[in-house]
Amino acid sequence: LEVECTPGNLSNVIGNYNISTLIVTGQMDARDFKFIATALDAITVVDLSGVTIVAYSDHSKPLFNNEVDYPENFIPPMAFFGKKIKQFTLPPGTRAIGMGAFAGCDRLTTFTFPEGLDSIGAYAFSATKLNNIVLPSTIKSLGKGVFSNCTNLSRVTINPSTEMAIPESAFEFDKTVNYIFLGPNVTSIGDRAFKGTSRLFYLTFTGQNNIRYIGKEAFLASGVADFNFEQATALNNIDDLAFAQSKQVSATIPAATTRVGKGAFFYDTDLTTYIPNAASDTIADMLLAGTAVSNNVTDNTQVQYIGNYAFYNTPITTLSLPATTNYIGDRAMAGMIDLQEFNSDAIEVPALGAEVWLGVKQATIPLKVPGESYDAYS
């Protein structure tokens, strides 16, 4: 059916509610989207390329999600939630897509995000079948979980013209995505943003990236193997469990990084090399537990604190503590059965947690300490 609409009048120009294809021209407002949401259950194709969305307000009767004000060029929240839509064409002037607008549209495989679009709300395309996402350069903000649980997604390109963040859970549990491109204006990756993206083989940037923050569990249980830390010269904070159980193979922490959180690489069994920056003063709890790291991690650092389970079950053979070290946590080096040499430059013996070397044959491993501190260490 092809109809021309005036604002709030779509229900009056459609007589057959069982139509599968709808082409609208003219003007629409939130009332027309509400009609589609509640009445047109058989709809699979919607073409609004000839539509202008005008503003609508009714403070006496919320239409979607208890909202009463709907600006122009805005797709209302939950407008097509759970519909059988396979193909959808946005109005050309669309600036924003509301929360959950297309969530659960599990037949929606393709979608064109036009230039001019600047925001997409929380969970707007969650649990859809989108295959390839290319966001326009005009995009400024994305909502929580915006593309989460998309079971068919393969490729994602995000290259905004202004600074923006990847929000929390943005692509969480998108288990088929294998290629992500992030432009230089992406400045942070939120908590759980790529958690569970187990087939994420390629994470690429344009040269030097400007990411300053990687959130908690951002790449937890993901397939990411090649995050280039040396390119991330602005990176300040890697939060807890950020790369835990991922496939990352090496990590050279940039000079700008002031914090690497607890378990940031916990049981990343493919990680063989970890090089903290020279100013690093903390090896966080569980940081490298269960990894394959074998290099002398603490050499040439300013490490003061080595956290609980920090090197648990790693195959490190030589470990050299700097003079700044003052604490080694519970089971920090438990299970390090490959350890062959242990050196400490600390004049004062570091305080110890419980069972620091559980399972390690300490009697067979040389301990080298400053001569003046021999008796104290003994």
Side-chain angles (χ1 to χ4, degrees):
L1 182 67
E2 182 172 352
V3 296
E4 184 172 357
C5 183
T6 56
N9 197 44
L10 188 62
S11 61
N12 295 323
V13 295
I14 294 181
N16 180 5
Y17 289 7
N18 292 318
I19 57 172
S20 61
T21 298
L22 176 63
I23 303 170
V24 185
T25 57
Q27 294 184 326
M28 295 174 62
D29 65 23
R31 292 170 294 177
D32 302 307
F33 286 103
K34 184 67 174 180
F35 167 72
I36 296 174
T38 56
L40 302 185
D41 291 335
I43 201 80
T44 60
V45 177
V46 178
D47 183 350
L48 305 183
S49 60
V51 164
T52 300
I53 302 174
V54 298
Y56 176 74
S57 294
D58 184 350
H59 288 244
S60 65
K61 184 181 180 182
L63 295 178
F64 294 99
N65 200 38
N66 292 323
E67 294 189 23
V68 294
D69 294 312
Y70 303 90
E72 64 182 7
N73 299 317
F74 174 60
I75 303 293
M78 315 298 286
F80 298 95
F81 177 81
K83 289 292 184 185
K84 301 174 183 178
I85 292 173
K86 299 178 181 179
Q87 182 180 331
F88 190 94
T89 307
L90 283 174
T94 304
R95 297 292 302 275
I97 297 173
M99 183 188 75
F102 295 91
C105 293
D106 59 5
R107 302 184 186 188
L108 186 63
T109 59
T110 61
F111 197 93
T112 300
F113 298 91
E115 286 294 321
L117 183 68
D118 61 28
S119 70
I120 305 175
Y123 302 102
F125 291 89
S126 180
T128 61
K129 285 291 198 301
L130 293 182
N131 177 261
N132 183 23
I133 293 171
V134 180
L135 296 183
S137 63
T138 51
I139 198 71
K140 295 179 180 178
S141 70
L142 300 173
K144 177 181 178 180
V146 58
F147 297 108
S148 58
N149 291 290
C150 290
T151 57
N152 196 44
L153 188 60
S154 176
R155 298 172 65 88
V156 176
T157 300
I158 304 176
N159 190 13
S161 59
T162 57
E163 287 192 359
M164 67 164 283
I166 305 298
E168 62 179 292
S169 301
F171 297 92
E172 187 173 7
F173 297 129
D174 289 354
K175 295 182 179 181
T176 58
V177 66
N178 57 46
Y179 173 88
I180 302 282
F181 174 83
L182 301 179
N185 285 318
V186 174
T187 57
S188 69
I189 297 175
D191 298 349
R192 302 177 303 281
F194 297 101
K195 178 181 177 180
T197 54
S198 54
R199 293 187 61 193
L200 180 55
F201 303 135
Y202 305 102
L203 179 66
T204 61
F205 304 89
T206 50
Q208 180 174 313
N209 70 66
N210 293 298
I211 291 174
R212 298 190 283 268
Y213 172 76
I214 298 176
K216 294 178 182 178
E217 302 181 8
F219 293 97
L220 175 66
S222 75
V224 66
D226 60 348
F227 185 95
N228 193 329
F229 287 94
E230 294 180 58
Q231 280 186 339
T233 56
L235 183 58
N236 180 261
N237 187 351
I238 303 171
D239 218 327
D240 300 348
L241 298 170
F243 290 87
Q245 299 177 335
S246 72
K247 300 294 184 181
Q248 186 69 25
V249 297
S250 66
T252 299
I253 305 304
T257 305
T258 59
R259 180 176 181 269
V260 181
K262 295 179 181 180
F265 296 92
F266 178 81
Y267 272 84
D268 173 357
T269 56
D270 291 297
L271 190 73
T272 58
T273 304
Y274 178 83
I275 302 174
N277 64 38
S280 176
D281 62 6
T282 300
I283 303 293
D285 296 354
M286 305 178 295
L287 177 66
L288 301 173
T291 68
V293 167
S294 59
N295 65 295
N296 193 343
V297 173
T298 51
D299 197 25
N300 298 317
T301 68
Q302 302 295 313
V303 166
Q304 300 175 29
Y305 175 94
I306 297 175
N308 302 331
Y309 295 87
F311 303 125
Y312 182 78
N313 276 358
T314 57
I316 294 172
T317 57
T318 300
L319 203 60
S320 300
L321 303 185
T324 51
T325 306
N326 56 42
Y327 180 76
I328 305 173
D330 298 349
R331 300 193 181 189
M333 302 176 194
M336 290 177 60
I337 60 175
D338 293 313
L339 190 64
Q340 299 175 17
E341 182 178 335
F342 188 40
N343 308 316
S344 175
D345 289 334
I347 301 299
E348 295 188 13
V349 181
L352 300 179
E355 300 181 317
V356 172
W357 292 280
L358 182 68
V360 177
K361 295 181 179 179
Q362 292 169 253
T364 67
I365 299 167
L367 172 62
K368 297 181 180 180
V369 300
E372 65 208 86
S373 304
Y374 180 88
D375 290 339
Y377 275 90
S378 294

